[in-house]
Each structure stands twice: as C-alpha cells, then as structure tokens.
Amino acid sequence: MSRYSNRPLTRDLPTTQLFLDRYFSTGVYYPSINSGNQKRLLLSNPAESGVVLLAVEPTVRSSGQIKIDKHKNVSIDTTGDAPPTGITSKSSPEKSSIATVQLGGDTETGAFSDGLAFSPKTSAGSGGQGTPGSAGESGITNLIYPGDNLVLSATAVGNNRTISIDMDFIEYPEENLP
C-alpha cells in the first residue's frame, strides 16, 4: 500500500518530469571553509525561457554548524563563475538546461545583493543538513519564473567546515501552470 495513495499525481510530479527529461541538478562542494565565510549558489531562469523552474528541496550539508539563507530575485552585482559540474540532467547526458548557475560569496567571483529574504535556518551543531523551506508531498519549495533567480547561501559557524550546496529543479512549461 502506498503512503500517498490519496495524491498520486502530486507525489509523481518529479518522477514524471524525470521521464520527460525536465529534471536537472546543480551544486558545489567546498572542502575547508573558515568561520564567518559565506558561500552562495545562484540559480537563474532566463527571461525568455518559457518555463518555470520548480526548485525541489534545495539542500545544504556540512561537517559542522552552519547558517543557511535563501533569497529570491537578488541583484547580480558581479557575475559569478559556474560551479565545476555546471547543471546536469538527471535523465539524459544529451539534455541541457535552459537555466544558468553562478557561484558567489567570500573568495568567489559572484556578488549578489538585496532580494526577498526567507527566514534563515541553522544546521545542527555537529553538522548534518538543512533544507531551507517547507516542501509539500511534491518536494517543490520555490517557483522561479522567467527573469527570476534564487540564491542558497551557507555561512560557516566554526573553522574547517566542509559544505555542499545542492539545488535540484524541474523545467516546467509555463503554459502548463494551473
């Protein structure tokens, strides 16, 4: 018996989009971050894309305590480099994403400011992970419309932290929105 038998379409949205080659992943890993050092990952949806990016449970992991922030529609003061892995399709190596991703924060090339701030989160003192934002059964936490962006930030609390920031997303056709 399925745990979500009363909502099969809601729960199957990510799986359905995976089969339709619309599911992507991006992220970055930092091996040694000192106290107070902030790292940021910005996901942007081009203005003419024709899709809405559905962020699926963005996650920050760390070997120690960190502060996690999320901002929507920031100003891009300085364009950042893409993470080493860029954006990858979760279903097909031939499929590429319309979205763009940039790195920002301390000792990174990108600088971002302002934007709509969501409430900050803190990971457990001994490390672990944080998922900034509530997700319903579908796992979708944010919508990134054409021309919009979303930034996920991690600030080390204590020295020598390993930090990873991951953002999975679905490119959902704008005309299919309810």
Side-chain angles (χ1 to χ4, degrees):
M1 173 181 240
S2 172
R3 179 176 176 189
Y4 300 103
S5 61
N6 60 338
R7 294 186 177 214
L9 289 177
T10 302
R11 184 39 114 182
D12 284 0
L13 177 66
T15 303
T16 302
Q17 300 311 301
L18 179 66
F19 286 123
L20 294 172
D21 289 334
R22 295 181 184 155
Y23 205 163
F24 298 89
S25 182
T26 189
V28 62
Y29 172 78
Y30 297 101
S32 182
I33 305 301
N34 289 324
S35 188
N37 197 322
Q38 183 182 65
K39 298 299 182 180
R40 305 181 89 186
L41 183 70
L42 177 137
L43 180 65
S44 294
N45 187 357
E48 319 286 307
S49 70
V51 299
V52 174
L53 305 181
L54 310 177
V56 181
E57 297 185 51
T59 305
V60 178
R61 294 174 182 85
S62 174
S63 61
Q65 188 175 11
I66 52 172
K67 178 184 170 211
I68 303 166
D69 292 293
K70 185 168 61 169
H71 290 78
K72 187 160 185 197
N73 296 334
V74 299
S75 296
I76 300 172
D77 304 324
T78 306
T79 302
D81 293 331
T85 58
I87 297 174
T88 55
S89 170
K90 288 184 156 270
S91 59
S92 170
E94 292 82 34
K95 181 71 175 164
S96 60
S97 173
I98 198 163
T100 60
V101 63
Q102 302 176 36
L103 299 176
D106 297 323
T107 69
E108 300 299 329
T109 53
F112 321 124
S113 60
D114 302 323
L116 171 67
F118 292 85
S119 62
K121 311 290 186 245
T122 303
S123 72
S126 61
Q129 72 179 34
T131 53
S134 299
E137 290 181 7
S138 68
I140 307 301
T141 60
N142 297 91
L143 302 179
I144 307 169
Y145 288 96
D148 290 352
N149 61 51
L150 183 72
V151 173
L152 195 55
S153 305
T155 305
V157 178
N159 286 327
N160 201 24
R161 301 284 185 249
T162 58
I163 295 175
S164 65
I165 304 173
D166 296 300
M167 291 211 301
D168 291 350
F169 62 95
I170 294 167
E171 291 184 349
Y172 196 77
E174 216 173 351
E175 68 269 7
N176 291 355
L177 289 176

